[in-house]
Amino acid sequence: MEKMHNLVIIGAGPAGIATAVESYILGIRDILLLEKDENHNSTIRKFYKDNKRVDKDWKGQKVELDGNIYFVDGTKESTLDFFEEVLAHHSVELRTHTEVQKIVKKEDGTFDVVTAQGTIPTRFVVVTIGRMGKPNKPSYKIPPKIRKRIHYTLDGCGEGEKVMVVGGGDSAIEYAVDLADRNEVTICYRRQTFRRANPTNQKDIAEAIEKGRVRALLGVDIVGLEESEDGCVKVLFEEKEPECFDRVVYAIGGTTPTGFLQSSGIEVVDGVPVHDENYMTNIDGLYVAGDITQESGGSIALGLNHGHKIAHHIMQRLDCKECRPLELLD
């Protein structure tokens, strides 16, 4: 049987790593960080293109860091290296390829974290599953015969193809600009401007459209998809005639894993788990952190601060006779 842990954290993104490291710095031991994919920060690895800019603040969220992890703006690669180093300097167990099925609160106040491999007992649980781990899909049905031509990242996209990117945020713009180097690219967005995107991406897409590298369909709604006569994707629009594409890439954001949260007893209102000022949910000892606490996502800095706040709250509640706080981040 698994030993009793003091803290189990579900999701090894910035908020999860911050919760683990801040807790370790405070002297808490027996911390387990769970990740369903093969490595930490899987969202950054999967959904960020190479050399993508990664900012501490996101969409104008100016956040001063409260904790011991000093993160600065960088790239996809430098961000992954940074968190790799942070984990390497602290004795926090990272267990990958471990997907959590549910969290069960027991009568004695502890928890069982249930996975396909078995049950992990713990005193406290923090859920830091990101929204992008579950990308939004269109409301209309995708015919089975064309599903291999529908994507949510750039994986599977080749060269010399006619590709449509759907969305108007940072990821959609970055996908369109990147694909334009080797494909005929159209970006389709239901609004008239790309005002949701950061200034750099707004500049890049404007330049790509002006130079004819990307074609823009703005203020246009998609109502459905069909298979074309030649096996490609026939896109049906509300405002214009259908068009056919070799591939369609959806970059329309992510959703809170509501089903998982509710199956664990966490109340969810308008897509956001209910929590107090310490990010503890309606279940005593069960916390949430990161962008699932926000209606429209959150910055890396916000996730780091959540981890710092939660770690301090857990330390106050643990019987920390054996805790040996560290003075500084190693």
Side-chain angles (χ1 to χ4, degrees):
M1 289 184 62
E2 285 255 8
K3 68 177 181 180
M4 173 65 71
H5 292 79
N6 279 321
L7 173 60
V8 170
I9 301 158
I10 303 168
I17 292 173
T19 305
V21 170
E22 296 286 0
S23 298
Y24 181 84
I25 290 170
L26 290 173
I28 300 171
R29 298 296 180 262
D30 295 324
I31 300 168
L32 179 60
L33 186 56
L34 301 178
E35 173 55 52
K36 70 176 182 179
D37 287 303
E38 63 184 16
N39 212 333
H40 62 84
N41 285 295
S42 60
T43 294
I44 293 176
R45 296 177 194 275
K46 288 182 178 180
F47 294 96
Y48 287 27
K49 68 183 183 70
D50 291 346
N51 297 311
K52 171 180 166 61
R53 172 180 154 184
V54 179
D55 295 334
K56 176 177 74 71
D57 299 312
W58 181 71
K59 288 190 177 180
Q61 294 179 358
K62 297 296 181 183
V63 178
E64 294 299 322
L65 293 173
D66 297 329
N68 295 278
I69 300 176
Y70 185 70
F71 180 79
V72 296
D73 298 346
T75 64
K76 170 185 176 178
E77 291 75 14
S78 68
T79 298
L80 293 174
D81 288 344
F82 173 81
F83 283 110
E84 184 75 35
E85 185 174 353
V86 167
L87 280 172
H89 280 77
H90 300 86
S91 299
V92 175
E93 181 184 355
L94 171 61
R95 190 178 298 179
T96 59
H97 300 99
T98 305
E99 185 166 6
V100 175
Q101 298 170 343
K102 63 179 178 178
I103 305 162
V104 179
K105 181 73 177 283
K106 298 190 293 185
E107 291 184 1
D108 64 359
T110 64
F111 295 88
D112 278 340
V113 177
V114 181
T115 74
Q117 294 86 357
T119 299
I120 304 168
T122 182
R123 293 181 174 86
F124 294 93
V125 182
V126 183
V127 179
T128 69
I129 300 171
R131 290 174 178 268
M132 284 303 294
K134 187 178 180 182
N136 283 330
K137 296 183 179 181
S139 57
Y140 40 85
K141 291 184 178 181
I142 298 175
K145 290 184 178 180
I146 60 173
R147 283 178 184 165
K148 290 185 178 180
R149 295 178 178 269
I150 306 301
H151 305 273
Y152 301 92
T153 70
L154 295 188
D155 291 345
C157 295
E159 297 184 8
E161 295 182 318
K162 186 178 180 183
V163 182
M164 183 173 75
V165 178
V166 182
D170 290 316
S171 293
I173 290 172
E174 289 165 5
Y175 289 170
V177 171
D178 185 62
L179 287 168
D181 292 335
R182 55 192 185 279
N183 297 279
E184 179 185 343
V185 177
T186 297
I187 186 167
C188 179
Y189 186 38
R190 58 192 177 88
R191 302 191 185 279
Q192 293 288 348
T193 66
F194 297 103
R195 62 184 180 183
R196 286 178 50 225
N198 68 49
T200 299
N201 282 331
Q202 288 187 39
K203 178 178 177 293
D204 288 347
I205 193 64
E207 183 177 300
I209 293 170
E210 183 181 356
K211 293 183 176 180
R213 297 178 60 241
V214 174
R215 168 181 170 238
L217 293 178
L218 300 178
V220 175
D221 286 296
I222 300 171
V223 296
L225 303 179
E226 294 179 357
E227 182 186 17
S228 66
E229 293 182 359
D230 59 358
C232 291
V233 183
K234 184 177 183 180
V235 181
L236 310 178
F237 300 99
E238 184 172 322
E239 296 85 357
K240 61 186 297 298
E241 293 298 310
E243 286 191 45
C244 294
F245 297 88
D246 295 310
R247 299 192 186 277
V248 176
V249 180
Y250 287 94
I252 51 178
T255 56
T256 299
T258 301
F260 168 74
L261 297 173
Q262 291 179 330
S263 71
S264 299
I266 299 173
E267 292 181 13
V268 179
V269 177
D270 296 330
V272 178
V274 174
H275 58 82
D276 64 15
E277 68 276 8
N278 295 302
Y279 302 98
M280 189 166 69
T281 67
N282 56 292
I283 299 176
D284 188 49
L286 177 53
Y287 300 77
V288 288
D291 63 4
I292 60 170
T293 66
Q294 311 296 305
E295 289 186 9
S296 57
S299 67
I300 288 178
L302 201 66
L304 298 181
N305 282 353
H306 289 175
H308 178 258
K309 182 85 170 179
I310 291 169
H312 276 268
H313 195 246
I314 289 175
M315 186 195 69
Q316 292 169 5
R317 305 187 66 203
L318 273 173
D319 180 9
C320 265
K321 293 177 182 177
E322 297 182 1
C323 289
R324 297 182 299 277
L326 302 182
E327 293 297 327
L328 295 170
L329 182 63
D330 294 338

